[in-house]
Structure formats: structure tokens, C-alpha cells
Amino acid sequence: GKDHFRPYFSATMQCACEGLTLDSTDLHEFAYAAFANLAKVMGDEFAPVLGELVPHLCSVISQEEGQFEQAEEEQGGQFNALDDSDEEDEGGNLVMHIRTALLETKKGAITAIGEMAAHTGAAFVPYMGEVMTVLLKAADNWHPLIKTEVADAMASLVVPCVAQDHNGEISWEKGDVAGPSPLSANTTQAVEVVLKALVTLMKDDTKDVVGKACEGIQSIIELCGPHSLASVANDCLENTYSLLAKEAPCQQLEDYGEEFGDEDDDHDSFMTSVCDLVGSFGRVMGQHFVQYLPKFLPPICAYAKSSRPPSDRSMAIGCLGELAQELGSGIADHWSTVFYPAAIAGLADSDDSVKRNAAFCIGVSCEGLGESITSQYSAMLQALSPLFSVDITEGDTAAACVDNASAAVARMIKTSPSHVPMAQVIPVMLKALPLKNDMTENETVYNCLFGLLQQNNADLLANKIELSRVFAEAASEGSKVDDELKEKLKLALQSLN
């Protein structure tokens, strides 16, 4: 951390800077990695060195890593021309000589500048213009390594404006684009420039670049809210759909496999970033995204087919869960045709990651749709039941599977307790507690139990000993439950005793 490292900061900076004076691309690369990590650790205390480092990094990023040179007459073997770093033009007179070491150095410089923007706060604002110019140029680089790094660093350029003009945080309402924008003029300008570049990179022909572009867009719209998306919404949504439907430039070589029914192919990790962005549209656009569900849901569900790899199925069900959580009653028209059958199938999947996401989807759907789906509670509880028998010693995902099943039941109880057979459900749920892995669900589970306790629920009080054990373990010193919730658990425990 910052406090522990502070005594060594100056010496480390001096060593890294000395490396830049030597004629070694390896040392330069290591120095940039050091700057990136130092900025991350030291935060605003790194700001005093920006004036010296940023211009240097910009000059490195601006360098051309390839140049045309006159081809020399080669004597000897026919294989002399086979060199990774040379490309001959059609006329055969010029050769493109690529300095591959400089590619890695440029990549390191882009990483460093991205981390400086992300962590030095308002102090980075004076350098925004210069940095934006070089990164936008680098976004057109011929090499995917550089473009991937640019896509990763770009989103950080919005952070200094937010630090300067908004005290580091923008307060926005989901789906509210009717009111005045909470963004300052500076932030609006930075957001528009960066999002335009990232939306363009979504159409790149390299998957890694596209994945990073999607991640960058997600981080910006979740930081800045729905007004930030307005200027690029149509293109962004269209590009996202193309990726889900496998129609994007980076997927054009895959079409031939589909003709022969080749569905069981490897999971494309970049598609997780695409699906995360879809969830983010729900989080930011709210009910405005509901109109796009008929178009987006079919390609998402294609990834949930049993013929797909487990990671695809998990990704698709996870995406449906996020949409159900963010859109609430907005998924009503698609509950019986999409969300319900997909979640029920997911609960019966052989993969624990799919099961946990399906349990989450069931829980948040019940929460969002309320009384309208209580007729299906019995079937959902029956489908959730086997998850409580998953062996949690098999690993984190198995433990999370049980945790998400507990949270789903808690949401169902909270939404419509009269449709849950408490006498059967509560003992099973208590036996699975406290949560072992997914700590984000602590509040959901314990607030449900607190509510039942306040109502003096007879079925809960019949399990008083087991409830006391759960509260005691969750409130213990080694527990991962947050402090505020621990205090509530201690008070509840006292009331039981």
C-alpha cells in the first residue's frame, strides 16, 4: 500500500528513470511497467512527476515502429527473405522493417499513461489534450497489440475530468435522460471523444481489441450514467448486437463452421465482455433498454444451448440474470418464453457456474416481477432444491452455487412469503448458511431472516438453535460479513438468547 511504500518511492522512481537513459528497449519497458504500478499505488502523490513523464511517454507512443527501406539484393539461399520483421511490397523494391521491440515498449508506455490518468486525479487534466491526440492516432495503429492497449487505456481519460469537476463521483439516475445532464462541459467532451473511438474499435477485426473496447465503454457509462451514452447509443447498440449475432468483422471467418452445425466450439472469452456490456445497458438505460430485448435476447440465448461449452452457457444465463435484476418488471413479456425456461434449464445443468447464475436469475426475476409469477414458485423451488446438495468442498464455484440458491430462496420469501412452504424451506436454507463464497448476497439473505424474526415467524423460531448458530458464525471475528451487518447480526443474536 501507499503508506508502506512511501519511503521507497523516490528511490524506485530514480532507478526506473535511470533505465530510460540507457539504450535498452527491455529496460525502457520495465521502467514503464514500474511507472504504471507506482501510479496505481501512490495515486495523487505520483502527480509531481507527470510534467516530466507524460511528454516522454507521448513521444514514445508517437514513434513509428515500422519503416520502408530499399530492398537489398540477397545472395545465397532462397530462404533469406523469410524474416518475421520484414514485409516486401508488391513491387519488390521496398521492404517494411518492423522494430518489434519498439512495439512492446509502446505498449508499456500506453499502459503507464492509462494508469497515470486513472490514479492521479485532477492533476492529469492539463495533459489530457496531448495524451488524447496520441492515443487517438495509436487507435489506428496496424498492430492489434497497440490497439488492444489503447482500448484498455482510453476509458481512463475520463477519470481526471470526473475527479476535477465532480469530486470523483457522478450522481446519475438509471434511464434518466430527460433531465439536465450531470456532466460538466469538460467531462462531456472527453466522454464523447473517447466513446466515439471505442465504439469504432468495436468493429475491429481482432477479438482482443473488441473485448477491451467493450470493457472501456462499460466502465465509462457506469461511471457517467445515461447521458454519456446518448451521443453513441445507436452505433454502440448496433455493434453490440452484431457481436452477439456473430456478424461483426472480428467473427467473419467463423461463418463456415456454422453451416456444418459446428456449434460446440471453444468459448470466446471476449464475448464475456460483450455480454457484460449488455448487462450494463440495462444498468444505465433502465426501461429504455426494454424495447431492444426482442432483438437482443435470441442471440444471447443461442449461447445458452446445451451444445455450447459450459462457459458460454454460464455467460448467457449470467447476462439474463443481470438484465432481470436491472429491468425488473420490464422483462415481463419475455418471462415465460425466455427467462423462465432458460433459468430452469440452467438449474439442471451439469456445470456449477451455470447453476449459480440460473439461481441468481430466478431470485432477481421473482424480486422484479413480484406477485405476477407466484404460480410458478413451487416449480422454481423444486428446481432450486438439488443445488443445496452440491458438495461445497469441490471448490469456490460449488460453494457459490449453494450461496446463490440460498439468496434466490431469500428473495422469493421476501417477495411473497405466503407462496413459500416455510416449514420445509427454512431448515434447508439455514443448514446452508452462513454464505461461504458469494459475499455480495449477505445482505439479501440476512435481511430476509431479520424480517422474518421481526414478524415472529413461527417456522423460523422453530429453528431457533440453527438460526443462532448461523448468526453467531456470520458475526464471528473471522467472518467475511461487513462490519455494519455484523452489528445487526449480534443484536439479532441477543434477541434470540
Side-chain angles (χ1 to χ4, degrees):
K2 184 193 291 191
D3 293 336
H4 288 105
F5 191 75
R6 191 176 286 112
Y8 312 102
F9 175 49
S10 295
T12 308
M13 277 299 296
Q14 194 174 344
C15 288
C17 290
E18 281 175 10
L20 296 180
T21 64
L22 303 171
D23 186 18
S24 165
T25 49
D26 282 349
L27 280 178
H28 293 189
E29 199 181 325
F30 296 146
Y32 302 148
F35 296 148
N37 286 308
L38 287 169
K40 204 183 296 184
V41 172
M42 301 307 294
D44 54 359
E45 291 182 33
F46 191 87
V49 299
L50 291 176
E52 196 173 343
L53 285 182
V54 172
H56 168 79
L57 293 169
C58 285
S59 70
V60 172
I61 298 166
S62 298
Q63 287 181 53
E64 294 293 339
E65 65 280 339
Q67 59 189 48
F68 283 106
E69 295 177 357
Q70 192 67 37
E72 293 180 12
E73 293 269 339
E74 295 280 0
Q75 298 297 321
Q78 59 182 316
F79 301 110
N80 287 354
L82 298 183
D83 185 337
D84 281 348
S85 59
D86 291 344
E87 290 183 18
E88 196 164 342
D89 80 338
E90 289 178 8
N93 299 321
L94 296 174
V95 170
M96 167 69 98
H97 182 68
I98 299 157
R99 293 176 288 171
T100 49
L102 182 56
L103 276 173
E104 291 292 342
T105 308
K106 282 179 78 164
K107 176 177 176 284
I110 295 166
T111 305
I113 222 157
E115 295 296 348
M116 289 175 195
H119 298 286
T120 57
F124 196 86
V125 171
Y127 310 99
M128 290 277 291
E130 184 182 4
V131 171
M132 194 81 82
T133 301
V134 296
L135 287 188
L136 287 172
K137 186 184 175 190
D140 281 333
N141 193 282
W142 62 278
H143 202 288
L145 191 74
I146 300 300
K147 286 189 284 188
T148 303
E149 212 57 41
V150 169
D152 201 22
M154 269 282 189
S156 299
L157 296 187
V158 174
V159 177
C161 293
V162 176
Q164 177 181 267
D165 296 353
H166 309 273
N167 291 319
E169 188 177 2
I170 296 172
S171 180
W172 53 269
E173 292 290 325
K174 180 193 291 188
D176 178 17
V177 286
S181 171
L183 308 180
S184 69
N186 281 339
T187 306
T188 300
Q189 186 180 8
V191 164
E192 285 180 358
V193 172
V194 172
L195 281 183
K196 186 180 177 185
L198 290 174
V199 169
T200 300
L201 287 173
M202 289 176 81
K203 293 188 283 190
D204 196 79
D205 55 11
T206 307
K207 290 175 179 179
D208 286 346
V209 176
V210 175
K212 288 296 181 187
C214 290
E215 289 168 25
I217 292 166
Q218 179 181 348
S219 72
I220 290 172
I221 65 174
E222 289 187 4
L223 175 66
C224 300
H227 279 90
S228 65
L229 184 58
S231 65
V232 294
N234 289 339
D235 288 342
C236 192
L237 288 162
E238 196 54 51
N239 291 349
T240 306
Y241 172 76
S242 295
L243 288 159
L244 290 170
K246 294 189 171 185
E247 296 169 357
C250 67
Q251 298 158 312
Q252 61 186 357
L253 296 177
E254 297 175 0
D255 293 344
Y256 73 93
E258 298 282 320
E259 292 172 21
F260 300 96
D262 179 22
E263 291 210 2
D264 194 11
D265 54 355
D266 292 333
H267 171 70
D268 265 329
S269 56
F270 91 105
M271 282 306 299
T272 302
S273 302
V274 178
C275 282
D276 285 346
L277 180 57
V278 175
S280 188
F281 290 150
R283 199 167 301 122
V284 174
M285 295 171 68
Q287 296 304 308
H288 294 290
F289 189 66
V290 171
Q291 62 186 304
Y292 298 100
L293 289 179
K295 185 173 182 176
F296 276 72
L297 290 176
I300 292 169
C301 289
Y303 285 92
K305 289 180 185 175
S306 58
S307 58
R308 303 295 306 179
S311 44
D312 273 5
R313 303 198 300 272
S314 173
M315 173 187 80
I317 303 295
C319 186
L320 292 179
E322 281 191 64
L323 289 173
Q325 183 181 40
E326 299 302 338
L327 302 180
S329 61
I331 68 162
D333 290 346
H334 310 280
W335 167 249
S336 59
T337 54
V338 177
F339 288 84
Y340 179 67
I344 292 295
L347 290 173
D349 200 279
S350 58
D351 185 81
D352 286 341
S353 184
V354 181
K355 285 179 189 168
R356 71 171 292 195
N357 285 348
F360 177 77
C361 186
I362 288 284
V364 294
S365 295
C366 288
E367 203 170 41
L369 294 170
E371 294 290 328
S372 67
I373 60 169
T374 52
S375 62
Q376 291 160 303
Y377 264 38
S378 179
M380 287 188 277
L381 286 167
Q382 202 172 340
L384 282 164
S385 178
L387 273 65
F388 288 95
S389 303
V390 170
D391 183 1
I392 63 170
T393 62
E394 288 183 2
D396 288 348
T397 311
C401 190
V402 181
D403 289 350
N404 286 118
S406 299
V409 171
R411 286 186 167 97
M412 293 171 82
I413 291 171
K414 201 173 174 186
T415 302
S416 188
S418 62
H419 288 89
V420 178
M422 296 290 200
Q424 296 165 257
V425 168
I426 285 175
V428 177
M429 183 178 166
L430 290 175
K431 190 180 175 185
L433 298 176
L435 301 181
K436 312 294 188 294
N437 178 272
D438 191 350
M439 297 299 137
T440 61
E441 294 288 23
N442 275 328
E443 207 166 313
T444 299
V445 169
Y446 296 121
N447 281 344
C448 167
L449 295 177
F450 295 156
L452 292 175
L453 199 56
Q454 283 170 355
Q455 295 161 17
N456 289 315
N457 181 277
D459 294 306
L460 184 67
L461 293 173
N463 293 275
K464 196 172 175 181
I465 294 170
E466 188 70 345
L467 183 63
S468 297
R469 174 195 65 79
V470 170
F471 284 177
E473 286 182 25
S476 66
E477 200 173 319
S479 161
K480 292 179 183 174
V481 174
D482 69 58
D483 292 340
E484 191 180 339
L485 199 49
K486 272 185 185 176
E487 290 308 311
K488 290 181 183 176
L489 284 161
K490 287 173 186 173
L491 288 171
L493 192 57
Q494 285 170 13
S495 74
L496 283 172
N497 297 331

